[in-house]
Amino acid sequence: MPQLRVKNGPAQGKLYPLTSEVAFLGREGEVPVLDTAASRQHAEVFAVGDMFFIRDLGSRNGTYLNDERLKEKEEALLRVGDQVRIGSTLIVFEEPGPKRPEEPEFTSGEEDIGATVELALDAQTQLSEGAGPGDASVHYSVLYDVAKAVSSAFDVKSMMQKVCDISLAAAGADAAFVFVRGEGKLVPVAHARRVERSEPTISSTIIRRSLQHSRALLVSDALSDTRFSAASSVVARGIRSVICAPLLAHKHLEGVLYLHSGSVDRLFTDEHLRLATAIALQAAVASSAIRAQEEGRHRLLAVFRTLISAHEQASPAAVEGHSERVHACAAAICQQMAVPPAEAHDIELAALLHEIGCFGVPEGAFQRAESRHGYATLGANMLRKIDGMEDVVAAVEAHLERLDGSGGPRHLIGHQIPRSALIVAVADEFDGRLGALGKAPHSSDAIKQVLMGLNQEVGAKVDGDAFNALVIALRTGKLTQV
């Protein structure tokens, strides 16, 4: 839940969670304002669903929101980062978030690690002679898990997180990291740790050696190996065993998989090196394929954006920028609802294309509800001709349906309407109603008016989950194009 934080004055740093429907600000309020300019009950913050508003209660010295004085009894929508000023006291509206995991750091030494156990990525390898059938079955099981993880992945980051989790367990490591190339440097995209450490540190020397020679490296019992005595990161962090395997796909280095263990009881072996290398190669091929798909999606979006922009500029009846704003709004809703990436992509594409049926429709035809339903059907029929757009088609065709059956074109009700269509519907209605009140940027009062109107339709026409996600996206700054 959101909270108010006093930014200065005697109560500086105090936090007041907004758990009740109404919280009074003032000398005698639930949020005490210890300021001579404050009234006993100076202002109030109240909730309507997931929306929070502030209202001045007729105070003599006024309530200021982001340096603008509120009119008496005026209600203003609060967004994360908004500052309320009463006298000289500043109060910030915040949304507490989960603590972000600390990112691993590179050491900066130029230490020479010398020779160690290496595995060329093009070498023909097999399990060592001492490995029995049980060892092989474990390897096959791990690689099967990796194959399942990468085959179902839609984005690199989530896929690499699964790779880290599997690698950590398979190697008995204390920590696993994946770094990928980005803008001329290695960027950490995923990590997993058996025991949380405040400052996980990675040896840049080991990674550099692995990348330069395109070889997987195993450093076992590093503390007792004189070749690593000068490696400050190894000594400082007590790393006894390290594996660094390049992510190599089609002769292109994507990054590295880095494992380390600080326990003498869990030193890595040659078998761990082979297994980690196999995992890294699988992950690299999958990463390359995902990036190729992303590039294809970006090109497709660019084509659609160009066509839609041309239509909106050429048609007097079209609202310029509407499709882009609905796309941004749907994306923010999906992010807030934690919609899986593949589904979110289809929803965002449907939001961008929800009015594609208007192309070629006579001017003024979509002023009537029946015509609007007609262009939804027309747009869906156009998109059916493109392979792989089935879920996008369903959302475009049903985005004018309403929960109570009053929409169209098929008058679906409740569960009959796809979630994708419900999200696009909320995004479309929000931008459409906001646009009717004037051009962006819109005032807090205009946004409040539209949200209050939509809130009255929740459950009857508008999906509650999608609406609440919209409100929180606005409140937390995930959606700013309004």
Side-chain angles (χ1 to χ4, degrees):
M1 289 293 291
Q3 63 187 17
L4 295 176
R5 176 174 59 86
V6 181
K7 195 173 180 181
N8 63 353
Q12 181 177 354
K14 290 215 172 170
L15 301 175
Y16 299 94
L18 297 173
T19 55
S20 59
E21 290 189 0
V22 179
F24 292 100
L25 287 68
R27 296 199 312 273
E28 298 179 2
E30 287 84 1
V31 181
V33 180
L34 307 178
D35 194 295
T36 56
S39 304
R40 287 191 305 157
Q41 290 190 339
H42 195 103
E44 65 178 357
V45 172
F46 61 96
V48 178
D50 284 323
M51 296 177 286
F52 285 82
F53 299 90
I54 186 168
R55 176 165 51 207
D56 182 81
L57 297 177
S59 64
R60 182 169 54 181
N61 295 310
T63 302
Y64 292 79
L65 178 63
N66 299 324
D67 291 329
E68 291 189 12
R69 182 167 180 164
L70 298 176
K71 296 177 182 177
E72 186 176 340
K73 303 299 183 182
E74 177 186 8
E75 301 169 359
L77 178 70
L78 285 172
R79 299 193 204 180
V80 167
D82 281 351
Q83 292 194 4
V84 177
R85 180 165 62 85
I86 297 176
S88 60
T89 301
L90 287 176
I91 302 171
V92 184
F93 181 71
E94 297 180 331
E95 184 91 21
K99 184 179 180 181
R100 295 182 62 181
E102 297 184 27
E103 298 292 357
E105 301 173 353
F106 285 110
T107 54
S108 57
E110 292 295 331
E111 60 270 22
D112 180 12
I113 66 170
T116 188
V117 179
E118 299 183 357
L119 177 63
L121 300 188
D122 57 355
Q124 298 293 323
T125 64
Q126 59 184 13
L127 294 177
S128 62
E129 294 181 3
D135 298 307
S137 65
V138 170
H139 284 219
Y140 297 147
S141 176
V142 171
L143 293 178
Y144 175 67
D145 289 341
V146 174
K148 285 195 300 182
V150 301
S151 65
S152 61
F154 190 80
D155 66 292
V156 172
K157 188 169 184 178
S158 63
M159 184 265 288
M160 290 303 185
Q161 186 57 56
K162 293 178 182 178
V163 168
C164 272
D165 294 338
I166 293 172
S167 301
L168 184 81
D174 287 328
F177 305 89
V178 170
F179 297 85
V180 299
R181 290 189 180 275
E183 299 181 0
K185 63 180 180 179
L186 286 178
V187 179
V189 295
H191 66 279
R193 297 196 290 275
R194 185 183 302 275
V195 178
E196 290 294 325
R197 296 184 177 183
S198 58
E199 296 180 0
T201 305
I202 313 301
S203 173
S204 59
T205 305
I206 294 174
I207 291 179
R208 191 163 52 246
R209 171 76 174 261
S210 178
L211 290 176
Q212 285 175 349
H213 301 283
S214 294
R215 290 174 180 265
L217 302 181
L218 164 62
V219 181
S220 187
D221 199 9
L223 283 179
S224 62
D225 192 332
T226 57
R227 292 170 298 182
F228 291 87
S229 59
S232 60
S233 62
V234 172
V235 174
R237 297 299 167 191
I239 298 174
R240 290 187 175 273
S241 201
V242 170
I243 288 176
C244 185
L247 300 169
L248 182 67
H250 313 298
K251 297 183 178 181
H252 176 71
L253 277 170
E254 295 274 332
V256 296
L257 169 64
Y258 186 101
L259 308 175
H260 79 68
S261 171
S263 172
V264 178
D265 299 330
R266 291 196 301 273
L267 296 180
F268 297 137
T269 66
D270 290 358
E271 294 307 321
H272 290 125
L273 177 63
R274 291 186 175 90
L275 182 59
T277 302
I279 292 173
L281 290 173
Q282 278 189 286
V285 172
S287 175
S288 179
I290 290 173
R291 292 189 192 282
Q293 290 177 346
E294 288 176 348
E295 290 174 1
R297 288 195 295 268
H298 290 156
R299 285 194 292 269
L300 182 64
L301 279 174
V303 171
F304 282 135
R305 281 191 164 109
T306 300
L307 293 174
I308 290 169
S309 177
H311 166 73
E312 289 179 346
Q313 292 179 23
S315 173
V319 179
E320 189 171 354
H322 171 67
S323 294
E324 281 285 359
R325 290 191 297 273
V326 173
H327 172 267
C329 186
I333 292 173
C334 287
Q335 182 183 358
Q336 183 58 44
M337 293 177 67
V339 175
E343 183 185 354
H345 166 70
D346 288 338
I347 293 172
E348 292 165 24
L349 187 54
L352 184 66
L353 300 174
H354 73 287
E355 287 192 341
I356 196 171
C358 293
F359 287 26
V361 173
E363 299 298 343
F366 58 89
Q367 291 178 355
R368 302 188 308 273
E370 294 79 5
S371 297
R372 295 192 73 212
H373 300 162
Y375 77 63
T377 301
L378 179 60
N381 290 338
M382 293 167 63
L383 295 173
R384 280 193 178 93
K385 299 175 183 178
I386 304 175
D387 290 338
M389 298 281 278
E390 293 80 10
D391 292 334
V392 176
V393 167
V396 170
E397 186 171 36
H399 81 277
L400 295 175
E401 303 285 358
R402 297 296 177 259
L403 294 175
D404 60 4
S406 62
R410 298 169 59 194
H411 304 292
L412 302 178
I413 60 172
H415 67 278
Q416 297 175 330
I417 307 173
R419 176 167 78 160
S420 56
L422 295 172
I423 291 174
V424 174
V426 169
D428 182 35
E429 283 291 330
F430 175 69
D431 187 75
R433 297 184 189 192
L434 204 54
L437 300 178
K439 293 184 177 181
H442 295 95
S443 67
S444 177
D445 186 63
I447 297 171
K448 180 198 72 174
Q449 181 178 336
V450 170
L451 290 178
M452 294 295 284
L454 287 172
N455 186 53
Q456 292 177 353
E457 299 178 9
V458 167
K461 295 183 178 181
V462 175
D463 179 68
D465 291 339
F467 174 74
N468 290 338
L470 167 65
V471 172
I472 297 173
L474 283 166
R475 195 173 75 205
T476 57
K478 291 186 178 72
L479 179 60
T480 58
Q481 299 180 20
V482 294

